[in-house]
Amino acid sequence: MYQQKQFFKKTRGGKILKVHREHYLRDDIVCGSLACTTCAHGDSTVLSSEAAQYLLIDTNVALHQMDLLENAAIADVIVPEVVLSEVQARNKAIHGRLRLLVADKSRRFFVFSNEHHKDTFVKTEKGEIVNDRNDRAIRRATTWYQSHLAGKTPDVLLLTNDADNARRARDEGAAAQTVYAYVQSRTDKPELLDFVARTGDTGGEAAGPSAEGDAGPQAKRRMLYAEHKGMAELTAGLQKGLFHQGKLRVNRFNCFEAYVGSQSVGKEILIQGREDLNRAVDGDVVAVELLPPEQWKGPEGGIFREHDEEEEGVAENAEEGAGLAPEIAEDAPGAALENLDIGKEGGRVPTGRVVGIIKRNWRNYAGSLEPMKGPGGSGAMAHPLFVSVDRRVPKIRIQTRQLANLADKRIIVAIDKWDRTSRYPEGHYIKTLGDIGDRATESELLLMENDINTRPFSQAVLNCLPPLPWSVSDADVAKPWRADLRNLRVCSVDPIGCRDIDDALHCTALPNGNFEIGVHIADVTNFVHPETPLDLEAADRGTSVYLVERRIDMLPKPLTEDICSLRADVDRLAFSVIWEMTPSADIVKSHYTKSIIRSSAALSYPEAQARMDDPHMSDPLTEDLRNLNRLAKIMRQRRTERGALTLASPEVKFEIDTETHNPLDVGMYQIREANQMIEEYMLLANVSVAEKILKHFPSCSLLRRHPVPTPQMFEPLLRTAAAVGIELDVGSSKALADSLDRAQGSDPYFNKLIRILATRCMTQAVYFCSGELSPPEYHHYGLASPLYTHFTSPIRRYADVVVHRLLAAALNLTPLPERTRDKKSMHDLSDGLNYRHRNAQMAGRASVELHTLIFFKDRAVDAEARIVKVRSNGFIVFVPKYGIEGPVYLTKKPDKGAGPDPNDDFVVDEEHQTITSKDKRQTYKVLDTVTVHIEVQEPQPHRPKLILTLASDSKEQDGFA
Amino acid sequence: MEYVSPEGLRLDGRRPKEVRQLKCELAVLHRADGSAYLEMGNTKVLATVYGPHEVSQRSQSLHDRALVHCEYSMATFSTGERRRRPKGDRRSVELSLVIRQSMEAAILTHLLPRTQIDIYVQVLQADGGTRAACINAATLALADAGVPMRDLVASCAAGYLNGTPLLDLNYVEDSAGGPDLTVALLPKAEKVTLLQMDSKLPLDTFEAVLGLAMDGCKAIAAHMRQALLEHTRKQAVVRGPVRL
Ligand SMILES: [Zn+2]
């Protein structure tokens, strides 16, 4: 307990406070080197004794060169504590990555607690600013290491891009180098140069040659953008109300149009054009200045965009291809646009320009290089432009020595900086994913873009699994609270080929004429214990992700497919909800218990349906299914009467070649009665459990709610419906459900189409912690239920795992984990789960989109489509059979600089949602049926797009024309 | 926030199971019958004892034991923000009671019937763990006054942050909002005379935190005993050899 005190004074808040903090200096801080003979060696002694040198990094190197540091060729790095805490204060994400590097023992990163070492602590001198003091502390740590390890093999090298700091270090007798110089000296790894970030560090010898150095010295170059205002000026401006702060969200259709949702204006502020966007990237928190009202603009109409890359010379066909049809509001591109009340103020909305960046939100971007004119000689430095697959992101200029290798590859790139003089942000290459268009590469890319963890489970996680092969033990049977239900006739019904069977059912006719119905859910929490590595990993993954050709599991395979899966003819542990129901589906009593079951059949939906439909089958199991179905229908009817919505989404199903994993056929996913039956019991179980856990834990239950859509969100639907003469009442979910039932058109698909469009107006249901909202806000709009949660899929959703623990605690089986009791961590958990859930859905959709593209690559087909939106130069169609949606152009794209095309002879009637040719011979109206030709085109090599055109047999007349 | 780094250091450089620097001085005020000044890190406390003396209000006199009276106060300058602290606010009343009860458990009150012992504890500087520091200072002052006691009462706080039990929380750690457990112990008998916690903890964690706090108490008791011995030795030198 060696101790000595130093005192720091700090001021905070408006008041000046005198704060004393104790600061203990120690003599037991180790250097972490295996070569050292004086320090104690332990777990954290990672620095190799064979290393040529140890690198000691300063704060800016950690902040800006993380991609380089993450490269496996960089090892034996000393991170002084002062650097770590500076990084933590300035960039949480980088701090997290640095911590991961330190935690990975194989990378040999060591944190040296210099601030608490008696010999390396430096006191702030009078008048010295914090940065200088910290630089001095870093240099002191370097010299300490040098003398501490004197005479042993590895040298210590200070890596800093600050020239002044490097010079001082040399004066003090320490070795110091810039990152660029160091990487150049690593002749064993020339490819490291690609990873060096080009940052605007101070000092002349900084970070190597500038990418556009050939354009002359920086000072002489044209300023393309206005200067960003400093933090002090921004803060003052924000306080005075001159500027408005908000997160920038770029339009998916047009990367030069963005919105900032500002609380101080109360409306979305539109920002248009490269100059006004002023180097802000999607997700950045920016300060915006409003333009004078006479300069306000409306969002641009039309369905396609020019990319104004005049100087690039490479012709680019920026026409939008077709894609997967959106399911809910968040899926639709340009969703933000639709919600603005355009047209009421002459189409003008508050418009502004970015004056400063409050917080950057740069991440890694996946995409490919823009084809370059002229060949890039191998090995020579080239400066190609990178195009992200995320269309909201601007092109990024990178430098590389391996242009030929990267040309047709999907790669990952990070932004380093964006100077006023450079049109594009500058960045650096991180890694290659694979060939463009390759199914595996594109799948990996869509997983990465959705932040999905595909790494295999770590050994620590696998160690948490029970020994295999696992089976129900006598100890399990002996537990007094575990009911033995193996005598019941339980079965499961799932999609074809389902291996992770979460749920099973039973239905027994009781002597009193009632039915006993049980929903049995895999007892995952019997194996996943709180706070174990397995639990933490599952919590982080949040959900399993289902792509067309593969599944990324939340839990390791033995649990997912075997131990937890309620397979047929084996004993399995379950968590059961059991009701007694009258023949009219009224619940007489309900009961919750952990149990052991033995499923007698694992059916698929078609199998279950066939059994129920086949009049010759009358075995007990089939009779059970029929009883279940009969009761489910009554419950469904009741739910609909309460106002639950029957929504529809354009789900498609691929038939996949087992060898090549390529799609063989695609079609609408068929919903059977059996699906609806199972859904009904799952809903019932979820609602029952929600009520139970909320009763016991009113402040920390994990529930799921579906917010009531705002009237504006229904506007597109109402416009469309009004155009075809249908009135919809969106006043309540009940009113909407009824008016949807009444909306019948001339063909049977019409009603489904309206439902699909209605579903698109809604937002996603979300998880939340019950303590954070008031009970009326718990409401689930779509299900018209005051309470809802997720209980029935614990194998593939972490929310259900938490709910299982809540239910077990409510039954006094296990204590509630500490983390579940804490409101703050439950808040973070539900945020995280919502994020993961959303991403999993996006990834699933992207995967379907990818396979659609592959499917149509070798076959062009004609298909029936419905017009869902009329635009100034064409319309957007939805193709039910394939679930795709995309634009059909009636007019040619106008040439650059030219005025409106004289052949542009179509007139749009916004109110009636029609587009008519000038000669009045052709009229297209929203919801009309047309035949479209679907075909994959490659406007540029390796950049295939799905293009929809009007089939030559034109339009089928159906009475509206 | 990270209160314990993966390197195992707390914000002030201590490891989780270390107490802050402890300093104590006895007989700092010569007019009092007993007095002690105690520092636990930046928490500084002065305790004075008057008595045993005749009970000032006859009616309160107890015929079989001594009356212990305790008054706790906090100096205006004791926190960063200067604030007038009225006497007799809820916190002071509660703390006075807590200190009195822990002392009563140690003092052999039945040896001093119909007398009164006054204990005054003043916090000169607060940096977390004031409760424990007050108790420790009061014990030393009582010892200095020569009041007969079963044992020294030693007190120490422990908390639970970032999943780690932490000994002797300072102000920053204290205001993290985690559980905070104060224990007072008669170390020889291992008898707990005070146990206070103002939040919930799972039982197994609670036991770990309690165990840690008790270890802290024992370490502090050893330190106080040492200080007491040295003080007595010094006094013996000043007063000259004892003749029988
Ligand atoms: Zn050493």
Side-chain angles (χ1 to χ4, degrees):
Chain A
M1 245 187 294
Y2 181 87
Q3 49 203 250
Q4 186 188 331
K5 279 191 243 179
Q6 305 287 332
F7 296 108
F8 295 132
K9 286 173 194 171
K10 277 192 185 173
T11 60
R12 32 172 182 167
K15 284 181 192 166
I16 305 267
L17 292 184
K18 198 168 164 187
V19 176
H20 286 282
R21 296 271 165 82
E22 278 186 292
H23 193 96
Y24 290 94
L25 300 183
R26 321 184 58 100
D27 58 3
D28 63 351
I29 303 280
V30 296
C31 68
S33 167
L34 288 161
C36 174
T37 48
T38 46
C39 296
H41 289 199
D43 260 3
S44 63
T45 315
V46 287
L47 299 172
S48 160
S49 52
E50 267 107 61
Q53 58 195 166
Y54 295 157
L55 302 172
L56 194 145
I57 58 173
D58 80 352
T59 309
N60 280 323
V61 171
L63 280 172
H64 301 302
Q65 307 289 348
M66 190 45 71
D67 292 320
L68 178 74
L69 294 176
E70 279 173 342
N71 191 296
I74 305 282
D76 296 299
V77 176
I78 299 161
V79 185
E81 184 188 356
V82 57
V83 167
L84 202 65
S85 52
E86 273 196 296
V87 169
Q88 183 171 28
R90 287 169 60 180
N91 189 328
K92 291 267 176 311
I94 295 283
H95 178 255
R97 289 163 71 184
L98 192 55
R99 269 288 173 206
L100 275 181
L101 279 176
V102 173
D104 182 355
K105 301 284 180 231
S106 68
R107 295 299 313 277
R108 307 198 296 275
F109 275 57
F110 177 75
V111 176
F112 176 57
S113 304
N114 69 313
E115 295 287 12
H116 292 282
H117 190 294
K118 67 180 170 59
D119 296 328
T120 57
F121 174 77
V122 300
K123 221 174 154 170
T124 311
E125 280 165 9
K126 223 178 165 139
E128 191 177 35
I129 61 166
V130 180
N131 272 342
D132 290 347
R133 182 250 163 221
N134 289 349
D135 281 346
R136 199 154 57 82
I138 294 167
R139 295 198 301 273
R140 170 75 68 88
T142 316
T143 46
W144 178 82
Y145 261 99
Q146 245 159 9
S147 58
H148 182 73
L149 296 176
K152 319 229 165 52
T153 10
D155 283 334
V156 177
L157 175 68
L158 172 64
L159 271 193
T160 175
N161 276 341
D162 181 339
D164 189 45
N165 197 20
R167 187 181 47 73
R168 280 165 189 254
R170 280 180 217 117
D171 289 350
E172 288 164 21
Q177 250 181 346
T178 65
V179 173
Y180 196 78
Y182 167 71
V183 171
Q184 269 188 322
S185 74
R186 287 287 298 268
T187 42
D188 56 325
K189 298 268 177 196
E191 72 274 11
L192 277 181
L193 268 175
D194 275 17
F195 295 94
V196 177
R198 292 164 296 155
T199 57
D201 247 323
T202 55
E205 67 182 292
S210 165
E212 282 153 291
D214 49 342
Q218 299 245 330
K220 284 187 188 159
R221 297 180 52 206
R222 193 161 60 96
M223 294 297 175
L224 296 168
Y225 298 103
E227 198 175 0
H228 284 158
K229 298 200 190 307
M231 211 53 213
E233 201 177 337
L234 289 181
T235 315
L238 285 168
Q239 268 173 3
K240 283 186 207 148
L242 294 175
F243 306 144
H244 308 280
Q245 177 178 343
K247 195 170 188 171
L248 188 87
R249 287 178 297 112
V250 175
N251 185 349
R252 263 177 224 270
F253 267 0
N254 179 359
C255 73
F256 297 111
E257 184 171 283
Y259 291 89
V260 173
S262 159
Q263 298 213 319
S264 46
V265 177
K267 272 188 182 180
E268 305 248 321
I269 303 170
L270 172 70
I271 297 161
Q272 250 178 13
R274 203 196 282 274
E275 278 73 32
D276 284 351
L277 271 169
N278 196 0
R279 295 170 280 156
V281 178
D282 182 65
D284 288 351
V285 178
V286 295
V288 176
E289 180 183 48
L290 281 179
L291 298 172
E294 59 271 20
Q295 291 179 32
W296 287 8
K297 299 165 191 165
E300 290 170 12
I303 33 181
F304 55 72
R305 289 283 170 268
E306 299 277 307
H307 280 227
D308 60 344
E309 311 298 339
E310 318 83 29
E311 57 171 24
E312 290 316 308
V314 182
E316 189 186 24
N317 185 348
E319 276 190 0
E320 277 304 317
L324 201 61
E327 271 173 46
I328 52 164
E330 287 101 323
D331 293 335
L337 263 97
E338 304 283 359
N339 299 340
L340 290 163
D341 37 2
I342 305 158
K344 292 182 183 150
E345 296 161 43
R348 285 156 181 268
V349 293
T351 308
R353 63 187 185 89
V354 174
V355 291
I357 308 281
I358 292 161
K359 192 166 181 293
R360 285 288 191 193
N361 183 39
W362 291 346
R363 55 183 180 96
N364 290 348
Y365 304 99
S368 50
L369 295 181
E370 200 167 71
M372 295 248 297
K373 283 174 290 184
S378 74
M381 193 60 102
H383 299 111
L385 271 177
F386 163 87
V387 186
S388 168
V389 291
D390 184 345
R391 280 183 290 229
R392 296 169 296 188
V393 177
K395 295 182 184 180
I396 301 165
R397 175 85 66 192
I398 67 162
Q399 64 176 356
T400 178
R401 286 174 195 276
Q402 37 171 345
L403 183 64
N405 287 338
L406 300 183
D408 290 322
K409 295 280 195 288
R410 286 294 192 193
I411 60 170
I412 295 176
V413 155
I415 302 181
D416 297 327
K417 60 168 178 176
W418 197 345
D419 287 335
R420 292 176 65 194
T421 51
S422 114
R423 176 173 285 271
Y424 303 105
E426 286 172 46
H428 64 271
Y429 160 83
I430 296 175
K431 72 169 182 182
T432 301
L433 293 177
D435 288 333
I436 298 179
D438 173 56
R439 196 189 48 77
T441 305
E442 299 290 340
S443 280
E444 195 185 333
L445 180 136
L446 70 89
L447 287 168
M448 207 205 87
E449 277 292 290
N450 287 299
D451 193 12
I452 288 163
N453 179 358
T454 56
R455 282 188 296 276
F457 289 97
S458 69
Q459 196 52 49
V461 170
L462 296 176
N463 288 345
C464 299
L465 300 182
L468 298 172
W470 176 90
S471 62
V472 172
S473 68
D474 293 342
D476 291 321
V477 183
K479 298 249 167 68
W481 38 263
R482 197 176 278 287
D484 190 345
L485 303 180
R486 282 176 290 187
N487 54 331
L488 294 174
R489 192 165 49 240
V490 172
C491 73
S492 64
V493 187
D494 286 284
I496 298 172
C498 176
R499 323 241 354 223
D500 46 345
I501 304 173
D502 291 292
D503 52 88
L505 289 162
H506 87 269
C507 174
T508 314
L510 298 174
N512 63 0
N514 287 349
F515 294 94
E516 183 192 82
I517 290 172
V519 166
H520 311 278
I521 306 299
D523 190 7
V524 171
T525 51
N526 191 64
F527 306 99
V528 181
H529 300 289
E531 306 292 313
T532 54
L534 174 62
D535 181 51
L536 297 175
E537 178 77 22
D540 182 55
R541 293 189 180 218
T543 172
S544 293
V545 179
Y546 294 81
L547 302 189
V548 171
E549 82 290 9
R550 80 186 261 219
R551 184 185 76 210
I552 295 102
D553 289 332
M554 177 180 88
L555 296 171
K557 200 167 176 177
L559 282 179
T560 301
E561 292 191 354
D562 183 17
I563 299 173
C564 289
S565 183
L566 303 178
R567 292 160 41 211
D569 304 322
V570 284
D571 291 352
R572 285 289 174 259
L573 301 181
F575 209 157
S576 304
V577 186
I578 298 167
W579 304 279
E580 185 180 333
M581 242 182 232
T582 63
S584 52
D586 290 313
I587 294 170
V588 180
K589 62 181 177 199
S590 41
H591 170 60
Y592 310 84
T593 181
K594 294 239 177 178
S595 60
I596 306 172
I597 60 161
R598 189 180 178 90
S599 170
S600 49
L603 305 174
S604 68
Y605 286 123
E607 274 167 13
Q609 189 66 47
R611 271 171 179 262
M612 290 193 287
D613 292 346
D614 186 347
H616 303 297
M617 290 192 82
S618 60
D619 59 294
L621 186 63
T622 309
E623 285 306 323
D624 287 352
L625 287 173
R626 287 186 187 134
N627 282 335
L628 282 169
N629 194 27
R630 207 168 44 73
L631 292 166
K633 276 182 176 166
I634 303 173
M635 295 195 297
R636 189 175 182 79
Q637 173 69 26
R638 236 174 251 163
R639 221 158 45 77
T640 317
E641 277 162 18
R642 274 207 316 275
L645 295 169
T646 312
L647 298 171
S649 54
E651 269 185 83
V652 292
K653 177 103 184 113
F654 281 96
E655 209 172 295
I656 298 289
D657 187 326
T658 44
E659 295 272 308
T660 62
H661 292 293
N662 282 334
L664 293 174
D665 197 7
V666 57
M668 297 296 276
Y669 185 75
Q670 199 187 344
I671 305 278
R672 296 177 175 83
E673 234 174 36
N675 300 51
Q676 295 183 331
M677 173 184 92
I678 297 298
E679 187 193 357
E680 210 54 51
Y681 287 104
M682 296 307 128
L683 291 179
L684 185 63
N686 286 336
V687 171
S688 295
V689 170
E691 285 165 359
K692 177 79 177 166
I693 58 172
L694 189 68
K695 196 170 114 200
H696 288 261
F697 304 106
S699 66
C700 62
S701 285
L702 183 67
L703 302 177
R704 190 163 171 83
R705 71 194 191 97
H706 186 207
V708 179
T710 59
Q712 291 100 301
M713 292 163 71
F714 279 119
E715 225 144 77
L717 174 69
L718 293 179
R719 259 205 306 271
T720 305
V724 297
I726 285 175
E727 250 184 72
L728 291 178
D729 184 353
V730 295
S732 68
S733 62
K734 170 81 179 134
L736 178 60
D738 290 346
S739 53
L740 281 176
D741 286 342
R742 284 195 304 272
Q744 299 299 338
S746 50
D747 62 311
Y749 193 73
F750 182 86
N751 187 261
K752 171 123 196 228
L753 188 64
I754 287 279
R755 285 183 198 276
I756 289 174
L757 294 180
T759 312
R760 278 184 204 172
C761 297
M762 317 221 170
T763 52
Q764 179 82 39
V766 288
Y767 297 111
F768 69 100
C769 168
S770 60
E772 287 190 277
L773 295 173
S774 61
E777 294 170 288
Y778 296 175
H779 191 75
H780 196 292
Y781 177 81
L783 298 172
S785 171
L787 276 187
Y788 194 64
T789 193
H790 272 164
F791 170 73
T792 52
S793 301
I795 300 180
R796 56 189 177 87
R797 283 191 309 230
Y798 189 74
D800 305 55
V801 173
V802 176
V803 170
H804 275 227
R805 287 184 189 142
L806 282 159
L807 183 61
L811 300 175
N812 272 326
L813 299 180
T814 44
L816 200 57
E818 196 184 327
R819 222 206 272 221
T820 313
R821 271 176 281 168
D822 178 41
K823 220 159 130 184
K824 169 83 174 63
S825 60
M826 284 297 274
H827 172 87
D828 296 346
L829 177 76
S830 39
D831 275 4
L833 291 179
N834 287 328
Y835 172 75
R836 292 293 182 202
H837 195 75
R838 184 82 204 108
N839 282 2
Q841 283 183 323
M842 303 258 274
R845 287 174 50 79
S847 171
V848 172
E849 209 159 59
L850 170 66
H851 284 81
T852 309
L853 201 63
I854 296 172
F855 177 76
F856 284 111
K857 199 163 184 175
D858 308 318
R859 56 202 113 188
V861 296
D862 286 359
E864 198 173 85
R866 306 294 289 247
I867 297 174
V868 292
K869 225 175 269 172
V870 172
R871 288 293 175 88
S872 60
N873 49 1
F875 43 74
I876 293 176
V877 296
F878 166 59
V879 186
K881 187 175 177 201
Y882 303 111
I884 54 177
E885 183 165 315
V888 171
Y889 302 102
L890 294 174
T891 57
K892 279 249 159 34
K893 194 170 66 150
D895 286 326
K896 255 172 235 173
D901 195 323
N903 298 326
D904 192 359
D905 47 5
F906 278 87
V907 180
V908 175
D909 180 346
E910 273 280 340
E911 192 191 337
H912 296 102
Q913 290 275 304
T914 55
I915 183 164
T916 314
S917 60
K918 281 249 170 69
D919 54 14
K920 302 248 162 66
R921 279 175 52 199
Q922 277 178 305
T923 299
Y924 299 95
K925 189 176 172 71
V926 74
L927 302 188
D928 275 5
T929 306
V930 292
T931 306
V932 292
H933 181 73
I934 307 167
E935 172 177 40
V936 171
Q937 289 177 7
E938 285 196 14
Q940 282 174 266
H942 306 291
R943 272 80 167 166
K945 273 179 183 162
L946 203 57
I947 302 294
L948 304 180
T949 48
L950 217 48
S952 43
D953 61 336
S954 189
K955 175 194 171 196
E956 290 170 20
Q957 301 294 321
D958 55 2
F960 280 119
Chain B
M1 176 134 174
E2 196 178 69
Y3 291 95
V4 189
S5 71
E7 286 70 45
L9 291 184
R10 289 154 73 171
L11 294 171
D12 58 6
R14 282 184 291 158
R15 297 198 189 275
K17 296 185 178 177
E18 290 175 354
V19 293
R20 289 173 287 177
Q21 179 162 268
L22 194 68
K23 265 189 200 164
C24 35
E25 221 173 298
L26 286 111
V28 286
L29 303 174
H30 297 287
R31 296 263 162 81
D33 292 316
S35 61
Y37 168 78
L38 181 121
E39 286 184 19
M40 287 172 84
N42 273 338
T43 297
K44 304 183 179 183
V45 177
L46 180 68
T48 40
V49 168
Y50 295 91
H53 59 81
E54 216 171 311
V55 180
S56 32
Q57 273 186 305
R58 283 275 154 90
S59 59
Q60 291 185 337
S61 172
L62 301 168
H63 67 90
D64 58 343
R65 56 191 165 97
L67 172 74
V68 180
H69 168 83
C70 179
E71 218 174 279
Y72 162 93
S73 65
M74 223 170 161
T76 324
F77 48 82
S78 61
T79 55
E81 203 179 347
R82 285 196 180 203
R83 215 172 18 165
R84 186 163 288 283
R85 288 166 202 283
K87 252 189 183 174
D89 64 332
R90 255 185 57 198
R91 195 180 126 84
S92 314
V93 172
E94 188 247 308
L95 267 161
S96 304
L97 184 74
V98 162
I99 299 167
R100 198 191 84 206
Q101 286 173 342
S102 334
M103 291 308 125
E104 273 179 337
I107 300 171
L108 299 168
T109 48
H110 63 278
L111 295 182
L112 308 158
R114 285 184 280 280
T115 62
Q116 177 175 348
I117 302 167
D118 295 323
I119 308 170
Y120 298 93
V121 188
Q122 191 175 32
V123 175
L124 305 175
Q125 193 169 291
D127 186 26
T130 46
R131 215 166 276 248
C134 287
I135 292 171
N136 294 333
T139 319
L140 288 175
L142 282 171
D144 182 41
V147 175
M149 289 194 283
R150 283 183 183 84
D151 193 359
L152 290 174
V153 194
S155 176
C156 188
Y160 187 71
L161 289 170
N162 301 150
T164 321
L166 297 182
L167 192 58
D168 191 15
L169 305 184
N170 66 23
Y171 177 72
V172 182
E173 293 166 334
D174 210 10
S175 28
D180 176 14
L181 181 91
T182 304
V183 173
L185 190 75
L186 292 171
K188 277 189 190 156
E190 286 217 20
K191 220 175 122 185
V192 174
T193 64
L194 168 78
L195 200 158
Q196 276 192 313
M197 187 175 71
D198 48 7
S199 65
K200 288 189 272 185
L201 262 184
L203 203 59
D204 46 344
T205 318
F206 172 77
E207 272 162 11
V209 176
L210 175 63
L212 183 62
M214 286 173 65
D215 289 347
C217 289
K218 285 177 205 161
I220 288 170
H223 191 275
M224 292 200 301
R225 198 174 301 280
Q226 190 61 38
L228 210 55
L229 271 173
E230 261 163 45
H231 174 72
T232 317
R233 205 167 287 142
K234 255 188 241 161
Q235 289 224 314
V237 172
V238 171
R239 289 183 189 164
V242 183
R243 297 211 177 93
L244 289 171

